[in-house]
Amino acid sequence: MKKIYTVILAVLGLGAVACTDLSPEVYTDVRKEDYFQTPAQFSTLIANAYSQLAGEYGYIYREGFWSLQEYTSDAVIVPTRGTDWFDAGVPQAMHKHTWGSNTRDVNNGWSFAFGGVTKCNTVIDNIHTIAGEDESTWSDAAKAGLAEAKILRAFYHLLAMDVYGNVHIDDGEREVKQYSRKEVFDWIEQELLTNAALVDDGVRYGSMTRPVAYMILAKLYLNAEVYTGTPMWDKAEEYCDKIINGEYYGLNEDYFDSFKISNTNNKEIIFPIVFDGKYANGNMFHVMTQHYAMRDVFGFTTDCWNGPCTLESFYNKYSDNDKRKAQWFVGPVYDTPTDWNTIIYHRENWTGNVVEWDHGESHFKVIIDPKVTTIQDPTAANSCEGARFVKFEFENGIAHHADSDFPIYRYADVLLMKAEARMRQNNGVADDIALKCVNDVHTRAGLAAYTAAELTYDELLDERGRELAWEGHRRDDLIRFGKYGDAWEFKDVDAADNHTYLFPIPDWVRDGAPGVYTQNPGY
């Protein structure tokens, strides 16, 4: 499908050689200093920095950054089913907010974010090697390539600052020092503002172009009060408007179009992780969440893991006539789906018998129940509990990794963000503009439009949850709306000091730089 990766690897090899030998080496008939003359050519050099997002340890890794954003929310739970998924108690600790400074997922989140920063700095060094140290002599393409790498580096810093708070800034020049969250915020903001003007003012799928920089700024400003103590709702709205008025993207008519097997260049996706089942691994939702028995039903060539599911309370946020409810699988698993292209979204087409599953001496029909009664069952009697995530279209005969790209940012989110920013500036009241933004998203799901009286903060939070489920935004949303410390199934109310709003600086990070990092409060 996306066969560009072979070419990318060859070009990255070129960049690596350039670091150690500045002579005009020739590759076939093109010198490296002649080759890197267009934005597209520089994008191939930058590809290694983007690669941090994919892979099994990337952005949606079940034991890393995605876990910090979603396992800790009211939208995901990972029950222990027999001997599966206990994982030394980590998934339960993430859900209950009882993690510590040496918890696996906390460690992996830091490695992911700053691993991305390191890759960006390597790319930036390679660009300087190719283009020369005197930036005044650079081509526009070289300047745009450098700006693109810096925007991506700022994005990785934002991820780190979002979950760990006071972190260091690694711009490849300064000594390791812990900065306040506001100082990191200010640095990210300036990096984005400075470099957005130097990159493509258009859509280049999977790349940090100007509208993607606008999206990152909008997210930064939307959460500014959490990050710095000072709200910036007007700035959040301003940058949402830059995206909307620029007409770079648009809503799909069908909600599920953004999650098809071949969703590359989908008009609603602002910034994706570009996955490929063979060349760029990491999208594993189909095996993570499905029941063991679903392997044969869906024709997978690898076992299903029967892991993460959603909570009954979250599933019940969807009305029965909400088309988005089809992103959750509940009910009987039949042995003969009739149409692979509609296997997920139109299960009324399924035929056959209900699949039965053997587990030791037990033998029962596989009927997925949205209610989770226990998150630790040594008998695996809870193996059919919890609605399963089927937002991404399944492909017949797929193995561990799916082709579907994962949208980190979507246009629907821009509309919901703009509406929230306006409501925040209007004492929680949705004016006509805010209503239209939300209703464009809401009515697409087959639902009646909201009235101003119906669109409260609580309802907007629920709408964001329904629309953006498992897309990596839920923790931030719950914090911003003041709900992250609330109780939900299998989780008590957080301590009054709200220290769980941040994760601890991992032990190995502090031990590796003695005296540099002060631990976050409460850990």
Side-chain angles (χ1 to χ4, degrees), residues 111 120 131 137 203 358 433 520:
S111 296
C120 288
T137 66
V203 177
D358 289 303
I433 294 174
N520 288 325

Side-chain angles (χ1 to χ4, degrees), residues 176-178 509-518:
V176 178
K177 172 188 172 183
Q178 187 178 29
V509 173
R510 293 184 298 113
D511 291 344
V516 170
Y517 299 97
T518 299

Side-chain angles (χ1 to χ4, degrees), residues 436-503:
K436 184 182 186 312
C437 287
V438 177
N439 281 328
D440 283 351
V441 175
H442 190 67
T443 57
R444 176 176 67 170
L447 302 168
Y450 285 115
T451 65
E454 291 170 330
L455 189 55
T456 63
Y457 281 147
D458 285 347
E459 184 59 30
L460 180 59
L461 176 62
D462 284 348
E463 182 66 7
R464 287 188 60 82
R466 289 185 288 261
E467 176 69 23
L468 303 170
W470 288 33
E471 294 181 44
H473 305 287
R474 191 61 177 171
R475 170 185 162 273
D476 284 349
D477 290 349
L478 290 171
I479 291 174
R480 198 171 61 256
F481 282 84
K483 302 291 187 180
Y484 190 63
D486 290 359
W488 49 74
E489 294 103 309
F490 311 106
K491 174 190 173 292
D492 297 329
V493 174
D494 285 9
D497 62 6
N498 292 330
H499 76 275
T500 57
Y501 281 30
L502 287 175
F503 294 97

Side-chain angles (χ1 to χ4, degrees), residues 133-186:
E133 290 303 320
D134 184 359
E135 295 184 17
S136 67
T137 66
W138 287 15
S139 67
D140 288 343
K143 293 175 182 177
L146 181 67
E148 182 178 344
K150 287 185 174 181
I151 292 171
L152 182 58
R153 183 176 65 181
F155 170 74
Y156 285 123
H157 276 90
L158 171 58
L159 300 183
M161 181 267 284
D162 177 76
V163 294
Y164 299 105
N166 302 337
V167 297
H168 66 281
I169 297 171
D170 185 1
D171 61 1
E173 298 177 1
R174 62 186 78 197
E175 295 182 2
V176 178
K177 172 188 172 183
Q178 187 178 29
Y179 292 86
S180 71
R181 210 177 193 188
K182 185 181 185 309
E183 288 174 320
V184 181
F185 177 100
D186 291 343

Side-chain angles (χ1 to χ4, degrees), residues 383-447:
S383 75
C384 294
E385 294 183 351
R388 308 310 167 89
F389 184 68
V390 290
K391 179 182 285 191
F392 290 95
E393 186 178 24
F394 291 174
E395 186 173 6
N396 187 9
I398 198 171
H400 271 94
H401 303 283
D403 279 333
S404 301
D405 298 338
F406 181 90
I408 293 178
Y409 297 135
R410 280 197 292 122
Y411 186 70
D413 192 11
V414 177
L415 297 177
L416 296 175
M417 290 165 61
K418 176 178 169 66
E420 180 183 343
R422 291 190 69 85
M423 290 175 66
R424 300 283 188 183
Q425 296 173 84
N426 196 30
N427 297 317
V429 176
D431 62 11
D432 289 345
I433 294 174
L435 272 176
K436 184 182 186 312
C437 287
V438 177
N439 281 328
D440 283 351
V441 175
H442 190 67
T443 57
R444 176 176 67 170
L447 302 168

